[in-house]
Amino acid sequence: MSPPRPAQLPPLNPTRVFEATGRLLSVAKAAEELCVTPAAVSRQVRALEHFLGVKLFNRAHGRLELTPAGSRYLADITPLFAALLRATRAIQSRDQGRALLKIRSPATFAVRWLIPRLAGFHRDHPSIGVQLTTSSAPLDLDHEDIDAGIELGDGSRPTTQSQRLVANVLVPVVASARQQGPDRLERVCQTSGVTRVVGVTGGPPSGGRRR
């Protein structure tokens, strides 16, 4: 025997349209409040009636009236919409007083180093939110909409404050079959600014350029 299907929630937009129409008892006024056309209001109400399997409105003498089922349903959902509105306003008011720190970082560094530390930052600074974007392009703090950035370099930015996070060791690696002579790798390293290379032909290197 298959398990019973969970009860379906009603479609939110038609329910919202029904609440406005039932409260105002006017398709035209509901359309004006919701910034849609009267025809769209009528379609949404019909969609909710089809979902519920009951008629929610009657027209009598040119006026819109709630059916008994519609009246009960409106009475039940009105407090729910009021609670949703209160919850929305409450969270919006909290976020308005929350500072936002905008940071840009290279993607790999963000994933491996920065993001694992954000939980601790939020725990220590609950009033500060963090907006993180990723890019390897050079930082342009004068024109980008960010408060801070992370980049590979020596921190020589005269007009900004820099703090080294980690040392970055660049290690040249080449397959033995492609080395093209015992001095090939060392010449490439010297050209690139790497002044110390150990373990070219085997074993882990113990030196390299730090940035």
Side-chain angles (χ1 to χ4, degrees), residues 114-198:
L114 182 58
I115 292 176
R117 289 165 170 79
L118 286 182
F121 178 86
H122 288 308
R123 184 174 57 252
D124 295 338
H125 306 280
S127 63
I128 302 177
V130 175
Q131 183 182 87
L132 174 64
T133 56
T134 59
S135 173
S136 297
L139 291 173
D140 186 357
L141 297 174
D142 292 330
H143 298 94
E144 291 185 72
D145 184 22
I146 56 175
D147 302 303
I150 299 172
E151 66 179 353
L152 180 65
D154 58 7
S156 57
R157 284 178 171 267
T159 60
T160 60
Q161 182 178 352
S162 300
Q163 175 67 46
R164 191 178 79 162
L165 299 177
V166 295
N168 190 52
V169 181
L170 304 180
V171 179
V173 178
V174 65
S176 299
R178 296 178 179 270
Q179 188 172 331
Q180 300 177 1
D183 299 329
R184 169 65 172 171
L185 181 57
E186 188 168 355
R187 290 198 304 272
V188 171
C189 294
Q190 290 174 351
T191 303
S192 304
V194 178
T195 57
R196 184 180 177 211
V197 180
V198 178

Side-chain angles (χ1 to χ4, degrees), residues 55-128:
K55 192 171 181 61
L56 298 172
F57 291 101
N58 282 325
R59 281 198 173 273
H61 308 294
R63 297 177 55 190
L64 196 64
E65 294 181 350
L66 287 161
T67 65
S71 183
R72 288 194 305 270
Y73 196 56
L74 180 64
D76 287 340
I77 68 170
T78 295
L80 303 180
F81 276 95
L84 180 61
L85 180 60
R86 286 195 303 272
T88 302
R89 286 176 175 171
I91 197 168
Q92 286 176 334
S93 63
R94 284 198 299 268
D95 281 351
Q96 285 174 357
R98 193 181 190 200
L100 182 63
L101 177 63
K102 300 178 182 179
I103 304 175
R104 179 159 76 77
S105 166
T108 301
F109 188 85
V111 170
R112 296 187 177 182
W113 191 91
L114 182 58
I115 292 176
R117 289 165 170 79
L118 286 182
F121 178 86
H122 288 308
R123 184 174 57 252
D124 295 338
H125 306 280
S127 63
I128 302 177

Side-chain angles (χ1 to χ4, degrees), residues 8-91:
Q8 279 188 294
L9 289 173
L12 181 58
N13 201 45
T15 306
R16 175 170 173 255
V17 170
F18 162 73
E19 186 278 331
T21 308
R23 171 167 45 82
L24 300 169
L25 288 177
S26 168
V27 170
K29 290 180 180 178
E32 183 178 357
E33 179 177 299
L34 300 171
C35 300
V36 296
T37 64
V41 169
S42 298
R43 284 195 300 270
Q44 295 290 344
V45 169
R46 287 197 299 270
L48 183 61
E49 289 177 330
H50 178 75
F51 177 86
L52 296 173
V54 297
K55 192 171 181 61
L56 298 172
F57 291 101
N58 282 325
R59 281 198 173 273
H61 308 294
R63 297 177 55 190
L64 196 64
E65 294 181 350
L66 287 161
T67 65
S71 183
R72 288 194 305 270
Y73 196 56
L74 180 64
D76 287 340
I77 68 170
T78 295
L80 303 180
F81 276 95
L84 180 61
L85 180 60
R86 286 195 303 272
T88 302
R89 286 176 175 171
I91 197 168

